[in-house]
Amino acid sequence: MNIKQLLSEKVLAAMIAAGLPEDTNPAVSISNRANFGDYQANGVMGAAKKLKTNPRELASKVLEHLDLNGIADNIELAGPGFINIHLDKAWLAQQLTKISKDEYLGVSQRGSSANDKVQTVVVDYSAPNLAKEMHVGHLRSTIIGDAVVRALEFRGDKVIRQNHMGDWGTQFGMLLAHLSDKLQANEVAETALADLENFYREAKVRFDEEEGFADRARDYVVKLQGGDADCAKLWQQFIDISITHSEEIYQKLNVTLSRDDIMGESAYNPDLPVVIDELMTKGIAVEDQGAKVVFIDEMANKDGEPSVFIVQKSGGGYLYATTDLSACRYRTDKLNADRIVIFTDARQALHFKQVELVARKAGFLPENVGYDHCPFGMMMGDDGKPFKTRTGGTIKLAELLDEAIVRAKEVISEKNPDYDQETLNEISRKVGIGAVKFADLSKNRTSDYIFNWKTMLSFEGATAPYLQYAYSRIQSIFTKADFNRNDDGNIITIIEPQEKALALKLLQLEDVIDAVVSECTPNLLCNYLYELASLYMSFYEACPILKEGISSETKQSRLALCLLISKTLKQGLDVLGIDVMDRM
Ligand code: ARG
């Protein structure tokens, strides 16, 4: 159900009937003020300008043809040519009753109509480097990517997750040399690699300072690339343990990535010489000072110098860039992607622009396949500087999440001193993790944001606890009213303005999901859920449910409305990867 779309079709039909061309934009949008109607169509203005006619006259002609019988109870012409549409309460109530019985809450599924086909969307997200521990920098990629994946799936697209883990590269030489020594000294790999950060530091110190170690490290790189079996075994051991560390975090974060989704850099290794060959044969890459390079004229700087994209180093080594070109081809040829979406921090924007251009030229990425690099800003500390530990180190994600749970526990136990430990732990986990995720997801993706424990754990404002609390309050009403949540025979009626406002909001879910999947902006869903919860709070104040003297129809209708609100909150939070609970 998409009211905006429905009205757009109706208004366009009227515009065509009034003599306007078929490609006219009706420009229907949600009104931001109630006295401008619920929806507005502002397209007449643009059309009149093109035709050089009087917009108001044109608008009244369009109005003559606009048939919103049964849908709107009032349509007005306003200002120079705006069309304000007031929707009919009975029609809205009917739509609500309908979507409340739908498992997708009225969000139409891809494939259900000819012009809304199922797409195969490859989503590349999280992608930590396995040489080190996951840190806060990977948090954003992981949770924004996962929210977009869930939104795509909720809408009915086919999603293929790709965890492009950094499991290859020269730094593995020193790590493997160091690991091999530890195993020689009878250490167990799991113990040696329990703290990857430490392990990396130790290896680096040896690499920089210990006589002969750097040579051994380089030797390992050669052996690894040459396919030496012992070396491969050692590498596999390292990778497995590091992946397990990431998996613990995914689980804690309630993220849908699994081992099957891993397609690390190493997987592309055999294809890299083929990629270079093709680029050379097609004359796209050229030899330059021993290296193989693509000079990209389309991205020349203001002095006309082309952008330089190295695809093979002079020593023959391949780069991050080469792997991403190979990934483009794999994703279109083998995974049949219609669209590729990649989440990394904004510093990689240039890299992906270059990858896209070169891949398109080389035919690795056909014109009809979308390629969206979705950059995000940095997470900052209270001091406005990149988020670090007090001593300036990188903050480990695992520690940050544990701290969130501890802090949530303080807040929850203060509010509910009599919860038993088990209940308290369960709620704190959901609230703590939810708070971190919502705080991040609700920000404009591309800007930096300040990480602040206090605001994210507050029960006021746009936070996870506020939404979770709204949800659990509704559940307690059901308990008090002895209302059967599985009974979908209830009919919703709309009387009060608060009920109408809720109806309009509830019917906008598809519109919001569509924006989230096309722009990869979960913050729009966060805003939506916050507005929905706030409208519920005003409704709850204004429209009594359990009070004496309320007719049983009104009571049933309001309870049914509450049920739809709570289902929408739950579903929406689920798309964000945030859990709800019946009490908190
Ligand atoms: N491992 C990279 C990093 O930590 C991110 C990889 C993103 N995906 C890709 N196809 N390059 O920055």
Side-chain angles (χ1 to χ4, degrees), residues 208-234:
D208 292 339
E209 295 169 8
E210 190 180 308
E211 180 114 9
F213 186 83
D215 287 334
R216 280 182 57 217
R218 279 188 274 271
D219 219 40
Y220 266 102
V221 177
V222 175
K223 278 206 259 173
L224 184 65
Q225 288 177 341
D228 175 271
D230 286 337
C231 191
K233 225 171 109 190
L234 202 57

mmCIF file of all heavy atoms in Angstrom, residues 208-234:
data_model
loop_
_atom_site.group_PDB
_atom_site.id
_atom_site.type_symbol
_atom_site.label_atom_id
_atom_site.label_comp_id
_atom_site.label_asym_id
_atom_site.label_seq_id
_atom_site.Cartn_x
_atom_site.Cartn_y
_atom_site.Cartn_z
ATOM 1 N N ASP A 208 60.090 -4.898 12.649
ATOM 2 C CA ASP A 208 60.876 -3.662 12.594
ATOM 3 C C ASP A 208 62.239 -3.805 13.252
ATOM 4 O O ASP A 208 63.189 -3.122 12.872
ATOM 5 C CB ASP A 208 60.111 -2.516 13.293
ATOM 6 C CG ASP A 208 58.872 -2.123 12.507
ATOM 7 O OD1 ASP A 208 58.830 -2.423 11.291
ATOM 8 O OD2 ASP A 208 57.945 -1.539 13.104
ATOM 9 N N GLU A 209 62.338 -4.653 14.264
ATOM 10 C CA GLU A 209 63.549 -4.626 15.083
ATOM 11 C C GLU A 209 64.399 -5.882 15.051
ATOM 12 O O GLU A 209 65.610 -5.813 15.245
ATOM 13 C CB GLU A 209 63.167 -4.299 16.542
ATOM 14 C CG GLU A 209 62.598 -2.887 16.658
ATOM 15 C CD GLU A 209 61.976 -2.610 18.014
ATOM 16 O OE1 GLU A 209 62.124 -3.468 18.925
ATOM 17 O OE2 GLU A 209 61.349 -1.552 18.154
ATOM 18 N N GLU A 210 63.777 -7.033 14.821
ATOM 19 C CA GLU A 210 64.547 -8.256 14.993
ATOM 20 C C GLU A 210 65.294 -8.644 13.719
ATOM 21 O O GLU A 210 64.713 -8.715 12.635
ATOM 22 C CB GLU A 210 63.577 -9.392 15.407
ATOM 23 C CG GLU A 210 64.272 -10.645 15.840
ATOM 24 C CD GLU A 210 63.233 -11.712 16.236
ATOM 25 O OE1 GLU A 210 62.334 -11.411 17.055
ATOM 26 O OE2 GLU A 210 63.327 -12.830 15.705
ATOM 27 N N GLU A 211 66.530 -8.888 13.893
ATOM 28 C CA GLU A 211 67.392 -9.258 12.784
ATOM 29 C C GLU A 211 66.860 -10.527 12.075
ATOM 30 O O GLU A 211 66.517 -11.507 12.719
ATOM 31 C CB GLU A 211 68.768 -9.522 13.413
ATOM 32 C CG GLU A 211 69.736 -9.889 12.464
ATOM 33 C CD GLU A 211 70.906 -9.056 12.156
ATOM 34 O OE1 GLU A 211 71.190 -8.064 12.845
ATOM 35 O OE2 GLU A 211 71.530 -9.467 11.185
ATOM 36 N N GLY A 212 66.730 -10.476 10.773
ATOM 37 C CA GLY A 212 66.340 -11.656 10.004
ATOM 38 C C GLY A 212 64.837 -11.906 9.935
ATOM 39 O O GLY A 212 64.375 -12.642 9.061
ATOM 40 N N PHE A 213 64.069 -11.295 10.847
ATOM 41 C CA PHE A 213 62.627 -11.599 10.887
ATOM 42 C C PHE A 213 61.897 -11.065 9.646
ATOM 43 O O PHE A 213 61.051 -11.756 9.067
ATOM 44 C CB PHE A 213 61.992 -11.033 12.174
ATOM 45 C CG PHE A 213 60.550 -11.434 12.349
ATOM 46 C CD1 PHE A 213 60.213 -12.663 12.903
ATOM 47 C CD2 PHE A 213 59.516 -10.584 11.954
ATOM 48 C CE1 PHE A 213 58.878 -13.039 13.059
ATOM 49 C CE2 PHE A 213 58.185 -10.950 12.104
ATOM 50 C CZ PHE A 213 57.865 -12.182 12.662
ATOM 51 N N ALA A 214 62.268 -9.865 9.232
ATOM 52 C CA ALA A 214 61.604 -9.275 8.064
ATOM 53 C C ALA A 214 61.812 -10.151 6.830
ATOM 54 O O ALA A 214 60.887 -10.337 6.022
ATOM 55 C CB ALA A 214 62.125 -7.861 7.822
ATOM 56 N N ASP A 215 63.008 -10.698 6.714
ATOM 57 C CA ASP A 215 63.275 -11.582 5.562
ATOM 58 C C ASP A 215 62.412 -12.828 5.630
ATOM 59 O O ASP A 215 61.867 -13.275 4.619
ATOM 60 C CB ASP A 215 64.758 -11.984 5.534
ATOM 61 C CG ASP A 215 65.620 -10.806 5.088
ATOM 62 O OD1 ASP A 215 65.078 -9.934 4.364
ATOM 63 O OD2 ASP A 215 66.805 -10.749 5.485
ATOM 64 N N ARG A 216 62.292 -13.379 6.833
ATOM 65 C CA ARG A 216 61.441 -14.563 6.981
ATOM 66 C C ARG A 216 59.988 -14.216 6.649
ATOM 67 O O ARG A 216 59.282 -15.010 6.037
ATOM 68 C CB ARG A 216 61.525 -15.092 8.413
ATOM 69 C CG ARG A 216 62.775 -15.928 8.671
ATOM 70 C CD ARG A 216 62.783 -16.472 10.092
ATOM 71 N NE ARG A 216 61.601 -17.267 10.381
ATOM 72 C CZ ARG A 216 60.974 -17.276 11.561
ATOM 73 N NH1 ARG A 216 61.413 -16.525 12.552
ATOM 74 N NH2 ARG A 216 59.942 -18.037 11.753
ATOM 75 N N ALA A 217 59.578 -13.038 7.075
ATOM 76 C CA ALA A 217 58.201 -12.609 6.799
ATOM 77 C C ALA A 217 57.970 -12.530 5.288
ATOM 78 O O ALA A 217 56.961 -13.025 4.777
ATOM 79 C CB ALA A 217 57.932 -11.255 7.451
ATOM 80 N N ARG A 218 58.934 -11.943 4.593
ATOM 81 C CA ARG A 218 58.795 -11.827 3.134
ATOM 82 C C ARG A 218 58.795 -13.212 2.474
ATOM 83 O O ARG A 218 58.088 -13.452 1.505
ATOM 84 C CB ARG A 218 59.910 -10.943 2.578
ATOM 85 C CG ARG A 218 59.572 -9.459 2.746
ATOM 86 C CD ARG A 218 60.560 -8.566 2.034
ATOM 87 N NE ARG A 218 61.734 -8.265 2.859
ATOM 88 C CZ ARG A 218 61.800 -7.233 3.705
ATOM 89 N NH1 ARG A 218 60.783 -6.390 3.820
ATOM 90 N NH2 ARG A 218 62.872 -7.022 4.431
ATOM 91 N N ASP A 219 59.568 -14.078 3.053
ATOM 92 C CA ASP A 219 59.615 -15.452 2.573
ATOM 93 C C ASP A 219 58.233 -16.110 2.676
ATOM 94 O O ASP A 219 57.798 -16.823 1.784
ATOM 95 C CB ASP A 219 60.595 -16.213 3.489
ATOM 96 C CG ASP A 219 61.427 -17.177 2.691
ATOM 97 O OD1 ASP A 219 61.841 -16.792 1.578
ATOM 98 O OD2 ASP A 219 61.646 -18.307 3.184
ATOM 99 N N TYR A 220 57.598 -15.843 3.793
ATOM 100 C CA TYR A 220 56.252 -16.396 4.001
ATOM 101 C C TYR A 220 55.264 -15.870 2.963
ATOM 102 O O TYR A 220 54.384 -16.594 2.498
ATOM 103 C CB TYR A 220 55.759 -16.083 5.416
ATOM 104 C CG TYR A 220 56.047 -17.208 6.383
ATOM 105 C CD1 TYR A 220 57.111 -17.150 7.276
ATOM 106 C CD2 TYR A 220 55.239 -18.347 6.394
ATOM 107 C CE1 TYR A 220 57.386 -18.188 8.155
ATOM 108 C CE2 TYR A 220 55.497 -19.398 7.265
ATOM 109 C CZ TYR A 220 56.570 -19.312 8.137
ATOM 110 O OH TYR A 220 56.814 -20.353 8.976
ATOM 111 N N VAL A 221 55.410 -14.605 2.627
ATOM 112 C CA VAL A 221 54.501 -14.030 1.629
ATOM 113 C C VAL A 221 54.665 -14.782 0.305
ATOM 114 O O VAL A 221 53.681 -15.183 -0.323
ATOM 115 C CB VAL A 221 54.781 -12.522 1.410
ATOM 116 C CG1 VAL A 221 53.879 -11.971 0.314
ATOM 117 C CG2 VAL A 221 54.571 -11.749 2.697
ATOM 118 N N VAL A 222 55.921 -14.996 -0.072
ATOM 119 C CA VAL A 222 56.193 -15.685 -1.336
ATOM 120 C C VAL A 222 55.608 -17.097 -1.295
ATOM 121 O O VAL A 222 54.946 -17.545 -2.227
ATOM 122 C CB VAL A 222 57.715 -15.722 -1.615
ATOM 123 C CG1 VAL A 222 58.014 -16.539 -2.868
ATOM 124 C CG2 VAL A 222 58.256 -14.310 -1.743
ATOM 125 N N LYS A 223 55.847 -17.769 -0.167
ATOM 126 C CA LYS A 223 55.353 -19.147 -0.034
ATOM 127 C C LYS A 223 53.819 -19.190 -0.078
ATOM 128 O O LYS A 223 53.229 -20.042 -0.729
ATOM 129 C CB LYS A 223 55.837 -19.764 1.289
ATOM 130 C CG LYS A 223 57.264 -20.313 1.189
ATOM 131 C CD LYS A 223 57.479 -21.425 2.210
ATOM 132 C CE LYS A 223 58.224 -20.894 3.412
ATOM 133 N NZ LYS A 223 58.387 -21.757 4.524
ATOM 134 N N LEU A 224 53.222 -18.253 0.619
ATOM 135 C CA LEU A 224 51.753 -18.209 0.669
ATOM 136 C C LEU A 224 51.183 -17.997 -0.732
ATOM 137 O O LEU A 224 50.268 -18.693 -1.165
ATOM 138 C CB LEU A 224 51.306 -17.078 1.611
ATOM 139 C CG LEU A 224 49.806 -16.944 1.861
ATOM 140 C CD1 LEU A 224 49.261 -18.164 2.581
ATOM 141 C CD2 LEU A 224 49.504 -15.701 2.701
ATOM 142 N N GLN A 225 51.771 -17.045 -1.436
ATOM 143 C CA GLN A 225 51.274 -16.761 -2.789
ATOM 144 C C GLN A 225 51.590 -17.892 -3.750
ATOM 145 O O GLN A 225 50.856 -18.114 -4.711
ATOM 146 C CB GLN A 225 51.850 -15.434 -3.287
ATOM 147 C CG GLN A 225 51.209 -14.270 -2.555
ATOM 148 C CD GLN A 225 51.781 -12.926 -2.954
ATOM 149 O OE1 GLN A 225 52.878 -12.863 -3.511
ATOM 150 N NE2 GLN A 225 51.060 -11.866 -2.642
ATOM 151 N N GLY A 226 52.678 -18.607 -3.459
ATOM 152 C CA GLY A 226 53.057 -19.721 -4.332
ATOM 153 C C GLY A 226 52.271 -20.997 -4.043
ATOM 154 O O GLY A 226 52.479 -22.017 -4.696
ATOM 155 N N GLY A 227 51.407 -20.940 -3.033
ATOM 156 C CA GLY A 227 50.543 -22.089 -2.753
ATOM 157 C C GLY A 227 51.202 -23.174 -1.907
ATOM 158 O O GLY A 227 50.739 -24.317 -1.904
ATOM 159 N N ASP A 228 52.264 -22.839 -1.196
ATOM 160 C CA ASP A 228 52.927 -23.814 -0.311
ATOM 161 C C ASP A 228 51.926 -24.378 0.712
ATOM 162 O O ASP A 228 51.222 -23.630 1.404
ATOM 163 C CB ASP A 228 54.090 -23.096 0.402
ATOM 164 C CG ASP A 228 54.753 -23.977 1.434
ATOM 165 O OD1 ASP A 228 54.295 -23.967 2.611
ATOM 166 O OD2 ASP A 228 55.703 -24.677 1.062
ATOM 167 N N ALA A 229 51.885 -25.718 0.812
ATOM 168 C CA ALA A 229 50.831 -26.352 1.600
ATOM 169 C C ALA A 229 50.928 -26.048 3.095
ATOM 170 O O ALA A 229 49.919 -25.741 3.748
ATOM 171 C CB ALA A 229 50.846 -27.860 1.367
ATOM 172 N N ASP A 230 52.129 -26.115 3.668
ATOM 173 C CA ASP A 230 52.273 -25.844 5.103
ATOM 174 C C ASP A 230 51.875 -24.415 5.430
ATOM 175 O O ASP A 230 51.229 -24.138 6.444
ATOM 176 C CB ASP A 230 53.730 -26.063 5.531
ATOM 177 C CG ASP A 230 54.052 -27.547 5.576
ATOM 178 O OD1 ASP A 230 53.092 -28.354 5.719
ATOM 179 O OD2 ASP A 230 55.237 -27.901 5.435
ATOM 180 N N CYS A 231 52.302 -23.554 4.562
ATOM 181 C CA CYS A 231 52.016 -22.144 4.782
ATOM 182 C C CYS A 231 50.507 -21.885 4.681
ATOM 183 O O CYS A 231 49.929 -21.142 5.483
ATOM 184 C CB CYS A 231 52.775 -21.357 3.730
ATOM 185 S SG CYS A 231 52.779 -19.637 4.035
ATOM 186 N N ALA A 232 49.886 -22.544 3.722
ATOM 187 C CA ALA A 232 48.438 -22.389 3.541
ATOM 188 C C ALA A 232 47.684 -22.880 4.779
ATOM 189 O O ALA A 232 46.681 -22.304 5.192
ATOM 190 C CB ALA A 232 47.976 -23.164 2.314
ATOM 191 N N LYS A 233 48.218 -23.941 5.382
ATOM 192 C CA LYS A 233 47.575 -24.502 6.563
ATOM 193 C C LYS A 233 47.644 -23.520 7.741
ATOM 194 O O LYS A 233 46.671 -23.298 8.467
ATOM 195 C CB LYS A 233 48.276 -25.811 6.947
ATOM 196 C CG LYS A 233 47.307 -26.933 7.292
ATOM 197 C CD LYS A 233 48.017 -28.254 7.447
ATOM 198 C CE LYS A 233 48.027 -28.671 8.897
ATOM 199 N NZ LYS A 233 48.920 -29.833 9.118
ATOM 200 N N LEU A 234 48.833 -22.937 7.865
ATOM 201 C CA LEU A 234 49.044 -21.953 8.931
ATOM 202 C C LEU A 234 48.114 -20.743 8.735
ATOM 203 O O LEU A 234 47.481 -20.242 9.674
ATOM 204 C CB LEU A 234 50.514 -21.507 8.870
ATOM 205 C CG LEU A 234 51.141 -20.915 10.112
ATOM 206 C CD1 LEU A 234 51.047 -21.883 11.278
ATOM 207 C CD2 LEU A 234 52.620 -20.583 9.831
#
